[in-house]
Amino acid sequence: MHTEFNDKIAMKKLMLVLMMLPMLASGQTLEECQQAAESNYPLIQQYGLIEKTTQLTVSNIQKGWLPQVSASAQATYQSDVMAWPDGMKSMLSGMGVDVKGLKKDQYRVGIDLQQTIYDGGVIGSQKRIAREQGKVQTAQNEVNIYNVRRRVNEMYFGLLLLEEQIKLNNDLQTLLAGNERKLESMTKRGTAAESDLQNVKAERLNAIQKATELASQKQMLQRMLSTFCGIEVKGVQKPNINGNANGNENRRPELKALDAQISVLNAQEKALNAALMPKVGVFAQGFYGYPGLNMFEDMMRHKWSLNGIVGARVTWNIGALYTRKNDKAKLQLQRDMTENNREVFLFNNNLEQIQQHENIARYQKLMAQDGDIISLRQSVRKAAESKLAHGIIDVNDLVREINQEHAACVQQSVHEIEMLKEIYDNKYTTNN
């Protein structure tokens, strides 16, 4: 079964890669990267291991219905043994009957067999507990795998921001190169100083140097994301904005894990009831040795013999009553602790949602002004270029305006990417 599970994982990865092949040219979406990362993360194999372990545990518990067989051998020497009364012994001797009596060394080789017919529900309750404990492990593993999404979010939006900055850097280089060509022409005509040309050229080289740094960071982050997802991530796509998180229901796997813990406690409480029920079973004992069950015969002859006993047994251990009240109180305390953990998680989760909603609203307000700022900076930059052409502005002023326009564009890009990240972080927070 474990092999089948691994085959299913391999097939799932293959289908995921085939499905994503058409997207390689334009880059992967965030959802595709998250699915690939979860399938690639080593913890995904824990599901099969947990399932197999649970099955083995339940199978072992089920074997409690099988006959319990034990073999034993013993040899003893007693200080005294059963004997005929002296009067009876004298009478038998007078009749010519040789009464040897039992020997003090005794031997026995035997087999005991016990079969449970009714256990009061103990085995059934143990199986339920084992299955519920398996569900707890599965739920906790789901929590660990779910955390992969946040790590993907960090790398994905970091890569997206770098790609946006690289595009803006290319625009900056194009703008500086255009002004550099104008200044070259002006320098040849004698209407601009050589130092002005060198100033703009230096700024363009700074932009090229910055582009090299951004490209290096992108390559590093791209390789990290590719390794994490188990696929080659050649690019990323900007997610569509569908508003804030969809719905108010919190579907985080941590809550499912807490529910699974409560289910274990409920199963354990039912097991307390089963412990109070009587047990019914049959048994058989057989042995070969001396003395046997017929003591009188063995007093006459010192020979080994085959012997056997069969019967039925009812047992009722009322000792569970002594601790039942405390055991139920302990289970209730564990429930209270689990519910308290749920309240703590939801409290912190709600605070995180409030912070994310406020950040989303803040970025939306900032983005509403970014367009106007860029438009104004663009107008100022164009005016500066016009003034430079007429010789009424210093090149340093033009470079400053170009850099301020570029900074405004970068700021708009940062605000947009950060808002998208907050939206998807909020989706992560509620699993919506």
Side-chain angles (χ1 to χ4, degrees):
M1 181 173 181
H2 184 52
T3 303
E4 287 182 12
F5 189 80
N6 287 336
D7 291 342
K8 289 180 180 179
I9 294 177
M11 184 60 68
K12 183 178 179 181
K13 289 183 178 180
L14 179 60
M15 292 178 64
L16 183 62
V17 172
L18 292 176
M19 180 181 67
M20 294 171 61
L21 284 177
M23 305 298 298
L24 291 178
S26 58
Q28 279 74 41
T29 65
L30 177 59
E31 290 76 12
E32 290 168 346
C33 287
Q34 288 176 343
Q35 293 174 8
E38 289 180 3
S39 300
N40 183 60
Y41 203 58
L43 272 178
I44 195 71
Q45 299 181 15
Q46 289 280 353
Y47 285 119
L49 299 176
I50 292 170
E51 182 181 1
K52 186 65 175 178
T53 301
T54 301
Q55 288 181 349
L56 291 174
T57 302
V58 172
S59 177
N60 286 341
I61 295 172
Q62 181 65 27
K63 287 179 171 58
W65 287 112
L66 296 178
Q68 305 300 308
V69 181
S70 63
S72 63
Q74 70 177 37
T76 62
Y77 182 84
Q78 301 178 198
S79 61
D80 202 359
V81 293
M82 183 186 299
W84 292 97
D86 290 339
M88 182 68 72
K89 188 174 182 181
S90 299
M91 183 183 67
L92 292 173
S93 296
M95 296 172 60
V97 179
D98 183 17
V99 180
K100 297 179 179 180
L102 291 178
K103 297 174 65 176
K104 292 185 177 181
D105 55 321
Q106 300 181 2
Y107 308 91
R108 174 179 293 195
V109 178
I111 294 177
D112 289 348
L113 183 146
Q114 299 185 40
Q115 173 63 59
T116 300
I117 297 177
Y118 175 72
D119 71 341
V122 172
I123 292 178
S125 63
Q126 289 176 345
K127 290 195 296 184
R128 281 193 296 271
I129 292 173
R131 291 192 182 100
E132 294 300 333
Q133 288 175 338
K135 292 179 182 178
V136 170
Q137 292 179 309
T138 299
Q140 186 56 52
N141 194 59
E142 186 177 347
V143 171
N144 295 333
I145 291 180
Y146 185 76
N147 291 333
V148 169
R149 296 189 185 183
R150 170 160 288 186
R151 297 172 66 179
V152 171
N153 283 359
E154 295 292 336
M155 289 184 282
Y156 190 93
F157 285 104
L159 186 57
L160 185 61
L161 182 59
L162 285 172
E163 288 186 349
E164 290 293 320
Q165 290 180 344
I166 289 174
K167 291 178 183 177
L168 293 174
N169 182 273
N170 290 333
D171 294 340
L172 175 62
Q173 290 184 48
T174 301
L175 184 60
L176 289 170
N179 281 278
E180 186 178 342
R181 287 192 296 272
K182 293 178 182 178
L183 283 169
E184 283 180 351
S185 177
M186 293 174 65
T187 302
K188 290 177 181 179
R189 296 197 306 267
T191 57
E194 183 70 23
S195 59
D196 294 336
L197 174 62
Q198 293 173 347
N199 192 350
V200 174
K201 189 173 184 178
E203 285 297 322
R204 183 174 61 82
L205 292 177
N206 283 337
I208 294 175
Q209 190 178 55
K210 181 65 176 179
T212 302
E213 181 181 351
L214 291 173
S216 177
Q217 293 177 2
K218 176 186 174 182
Q219 183 180 7
M220 177 192 67
L221 200 54
Q222 199 166 318
R223 290 181 61 186
M224 289 177 60
L225 185 58
S226 298
T227 301
F228 199 75
C229 295
I231 58 175
E232 185 179 1
V233 179
K234 293 186 176 181
V236 292
Q237 299 182 31
K238 187 181 296 184
N240 294 324
I241 302 177
N242 298 319
N244 293 351
N246 300 324
N248 296 320
E249 182 184 3
N250 196 319
R251 296 183 291 184
R252 282 287 290 267
E254 287 88 346
L255 299 177
K256 294 181 181 179
L258 293 171
D259 290 337
Q261 293 175 18
I262 294 293
S263 297
V264 171
L265 296 174
N266 293 337
Q268 290 174 339
E269 186 171 23
K270 291 181 180 178
L272 295 179
N273 298 330
L276 291 176
M277 302 299 292
K279 314 296 186 293
V280 179
V282 294
F283 65 91
Q285 297 176 347
F287 69 91
Y288 178 68
Y290 172 86
L293 297 177
N294 191 339
M295 290 292 184
F296 293 106
E297 180 69 22
D298 292 329
M299 287 181 182
M300 306 297 292
R301 296 182 304 135
H302 294 166
K303 292 184 179 181
W304 287 38
S305 61
L306 289 171
N307 303 268
I309 302 175
V310 295
R313 179 184 294 120
V314 177
T315 58
W316 197 346
N317 183 8
I318 64 172
L321 284 171
Y322 304 151
T323 60
R324 178 178 173 81
K325 183 177 179 180
N326 288 342
D327 289 338
K328 293 192 70 172
K330 285 171 60 178
L331 290 174
Q332 185 57 47
L333 287 174
Q334 291 179 38
R335 282 196 194 91
D336 293 341
M337 292 175 63
T338 303
E339 292 299 335
N340 180 255
N341 290 336
R342 187 195 305 274
E343 292 176 4
V344 171
F345 175 80
L346 291 174
F347 182 83
N348 292 331
N349 189 271
N350 186 54
L351 288 179
E352 194 171 358
Q353 290 184 58
I354 292 173
Q355 182 179 8
Q356 289 164 348
H357 288 150
E358 291 298 324
N359 286 337
I360 292 171
R362 176 166 59 89
Y363 285 126
Q364 287 175 337
K365 292 178 181 178
L366 292 174
M367 289 177 61
Q369 301 169 348
D370 282 333
D372 293 337
I373 293 174
I374 291 175
S375 179
L376 292 172
R377 288 296 180 189
Q378 191 176 48
S379 298
V380 172
R381 186 260 306 167
K382 289 180 178 179
E385 289 175 336
S386 177
K387 291 180 181 178
L388 178 66
H390 293 84
I392 57 176
I393 190 174
D394 188 79
V395 169
N396 290 327
D397 295 334
L398 173 62
V399 170
R400 184 181 66 251
E401 298 302 336
I402 291 174
N403 287 333
Q404 287 183 348
E405 180 188 354
H406 174 69
C409 292
V410 170
Q411 188 177 53
Q412 182 189 45
S413 177
V414 169
H415 289 162
E416 182 182 9
I417 302 302
E418 287 294 335
M419 186 191 71
L420 287 172
K421 183 176 181 299
E422 287 291 339
I423 290 175
Y424 278 86
D425 281 349
N426 185 258
K427 291 178 181 291
Y428 169 85
T429 301
T430 58
N431 193 22
N432 281 311

